[in-house]
Amino acid sequence: MITEQWGARWIRGLAGGVIAVAAVAAVAGCDAPPPPEPAPRPTAAARADRPTQPTQPTAEPCPDGGVRLVEMDGNAAMGLRVADFRLVNCGAQPYVLEGYPQLSLRDDRNGPVEVAVEHGTAGITTGVPDIEEAPGQVTLAPGQAASFAIVWRNLVTDSSVPATTARSVEVEPRPGAPRLSLRLSAPVDLGNTGKLGLGPWRPVVR
């Protein structure tokens, strides 16, 4: 009998312990901190600080007429000047050149510069084969280029005649074609000679 009473008390004690543990666990669960919130998404300002992918440079538009004039490297020695120019066919059709371009000069106010443009070296110098070359026909496929050169001397032979300097050139590639104007990085400093030698169109061989 004593054994049965002791066993009943042991079972009731065990059940009470289980209930107490469950209660403690429930209280502990109520006091547990909530799970962390997700990280905030970047704001517009933060996204703006991120490096962006470089954009591709936009291609220079092809001028009316389908060709573009480019200034090339020149040469200067002992007052003698030689400048080279290139005409690039940026259009979709073949472009035919023949003989010499029509060329005029402009000052820093875009006013005309009085100068006698003559074919060849015109007594200015000797030994410039590109300028003394015989003229001919040059056909440019799309993407191809032709060139011409000019020569002059930077001399002041008469102090009473003002020296002139051209800051731009205007070129008519062939009769009736739109004229191309180009601001020069290296000006044409004629002094007071008033004379310029012009070479013919030549194909550019790559």
Side-chain angles (χ1 to χ4, degrees), residues 18-106:
V18 171
I19 294 172
V21 171
V24 170
V27 172
C30 293
D31 293 339
E37 297 182 359
R41 301 180 67 180
T43 62
R47 289 193 295 268
D49 293 337
R50 294 179 180 176
T52 57
Q53 294 295 329
T55 57
Q56 295 295 328
T58 57
E60 184 180 355
C62 190
D64 292 341
V67 287
R68 179 183 297 115
L69 186 64
V70 182
E71 180 182 7
M72 307 301 292
D73 292 336
N75 190 15
M78 299 296 291
L80 181 67
R81 308 282 197 261
V82 177
D84 290 297
F85 298 89
R86 184 168 292 184
L87 189 79
V88 181
N89 182 359
C90 53
Q93 302 296 326
Y95 196 91
V96 180
L97 300 166
E98 190 161 7
Y100 298 84
Q102 293 290 324
L103 181 140
S104 60
L105 303 179
R106 298 278 176 172

Side-chain angles (χ1 to χ4, degrees), residues 110-184:
N110 205 34
V113 173
E114 292 188 11
V115 58
V117 180
E118 302 185 26
H119 295 167
T121 55
I124 297 171
T125 186
T126 58
V128 186
D130 292 344
I131 296 179
E132 290 293 351
E133 187 175 331
Q137 186 179 94
V138 179
T139 300
L140 303 180
Q144 291 185 331
S147 67
F148 70 91
I150 58 176
V151 61
W152 71 96
R153 285 193 179 276
N154 177 24
L155 293 177
V156 176
T157 57
D158 187 347
S159 59
S160 64
V161 178
T164 57
T165 299
R167 302 290 179 178
S168 303
V169 296
E170 283 190 353
V171 174
E172 185 179 301
R174 59 187 184 185
R179 296 183 69 83
L180 302 172
S181 180
L182 182 65
R183 182 77 175 178
L184 301 173

